[in-house]
Amino acid sequence: MISGGGYAHIELGKESTPTANWLQSEGVTAFELIYRLPQENWSSTDVPFQDAQRSIRMIRNLAKHYNIDQNKIGILGFSAGGHLAGITSTLFNKKFYKPVDKIDSLSAKPDFEGLIYPVISMLPPNNKTHAQKSILGTQPTTEQEIDFSVERQVNTNTPPTFLAQALDDPISPVDNSYLMDKALKNANIPVEMHIFQTGGHGWRLGKKNSEVSAWPGLFKTWVQNSGFWKN
């Protein structure tokens, strides 16, 4: 689970924690990623991507310990956490950090991904998010925007993807999901997208009396039908 927060803070208790608790109640082994943030004076703004890659490898290394299938490891991200999940799922072969031990010989590729009201593109006109400023600064080059636009990094090895977003999202324009859906289909990657009429942004597991509350059930069904979650 990867919470959002514009790469400026982490909405841990609002997004990843409740979702992890829900998944655990369903019998799924769930982990939360508490990643480093670019503004914390690290040597590189790549630290979130380093942490995400390392976490996938660590989970894969611990698969036997937790009695899980190392080939059924998914990643689920919200908002900027969706961007982090998307970059992890597309640029899994990019060396964001130098290997430190044998764990880093394992694949950093998730086997499936869920992107919930995600930040996807860093290119105009979708380049107004706080996530972009945190990662690329206020005057990035077009090349930098392309390099960190998830839809531009989709390839034939990108894992199956679940997308959910609301039309009235005021933070991450819904075009983010449309762009990702198109890129995945062009690469012949299985994708299921759910666009809700209302719901805004930051709806976590859902909102009372809102259609966005359907997403956990839709996600569960999709993962089951994709063969990653036992019925």
Side-chain angles (χ1 to χ4, degrees):
M1 305 302 107
I2 309 179
S3 293
Y7 290 116
H9 65 281
I10 303 175
E11 294 282 353
L12 193 66
K14 297 180 179 180
E15 292 177 336
S16 62
T17 299
T19 306
N21 289 339
W22 164 63
L23 287 170
Q24 288 173 338
S25 73
E26 294 281 349
V28 176
T29 302
F31 303 85
E32 291 181 80
L33 176 62
I34 303 175
Y35 51 96
R36 289 171 293 169
L37 301 170
Q39 300 90 342
E40 294 175 331
N41 296 318
W42 303 101
S43 60
S44 169
T45 57
D46 284 344
V47 287
F49 312 109
Q50 295 171 5
D51 293 347
Q53 281 193 340
R54 177 70 176 179
S55 70
I56 295 295
R57 290 173 171 138
M58 290 180 69
I59 293 170
R60 194 156 269 135
N61 182 62
L62 292 168
K64 288 184 179 180
H65 175 77
Y66 286 102
N67 194 29
I68 58 178
D69 189 335
Q70 68 169 353
N71 297 312
K72 294 183 179 180
I73 296 173
I75 193 168
L76 179 63
F78 300 83
S79 192
H83 179 265
L84 181 49
I87 290 292
T88 305
S89 297
T90 53
L91 296 181
F92 47 84
N93 282 328
K94 181 174 179 177
K95 295 181 179 179
F96 280 107
Y97 65 95
K98 293 181 179 179
V100 295
D101 55 30
K102 291 182 179 180
I103 293 174
D104 288 322
S105 66
L106 299 174
S107 173
K109 177 186 174 181
D111 296 296
F112 63 94
E113 64 173 335
L115 309 179
I116 313 303
Y117 46 89
V119 174
I120 294 294
S121 186
M122 297 289 179
L123 287 161
N126 301 304
N127 59 341
K128 308 299 182 183
T129 63
H130 200 293
Q132 164 143 348
K133 294 178 182 177
S134 297
I135 295 296
L136 301 181
T138 57
Q139 294 182 313
T141 64
T142 300
E143 183 180 4
Q144 288 175 314
E145 291 178 328
I146 291 172
D147 286 347
F148 285 90
S149 289
V150 182
E151 83 280 8
R152 297 294 290 270
Q153 305 308 321
V154 168
N155 55 72
T156 55
N157 290 317
T158 301
T161 303
F162 177 93
L163 294 161
Q165 196 162 13
L167 281 173
D168 61 351
D169 191 325
I171 304 298
S172 175
V174 72
D175 280 349
N176 279 279
S177 285
Y178 288 136
L179 287 168
M180 188 65 176
D181 179 69
K182 182 179 180 180
L184 290 162
K185 287 177 177 174
N186 286 343
N188 294 315
I189 303 300
V191 56
E192 179 167 307
M193 180 173 67
H194 293 275
I195 301 298
F196 301 103
Q197 292 296 310
T198 59
H201 190 83
W203 23 271
R204 310 153 195 170
L205 280 177
K207 288 182 177 179
K208 187 176 181 180
N209 300 322
S210 172
E211 60 184 320
V212 297
S213 297
W215 87 260
L218 294 168
F219 176 71
K220 177 181 177 180
T221 299
W222 175 78
V223 180
Q224 288 178 331
N225 291 341
S226 300
F228 296 112
W229 183 336
K230 292 182 180 179
N231 291 305

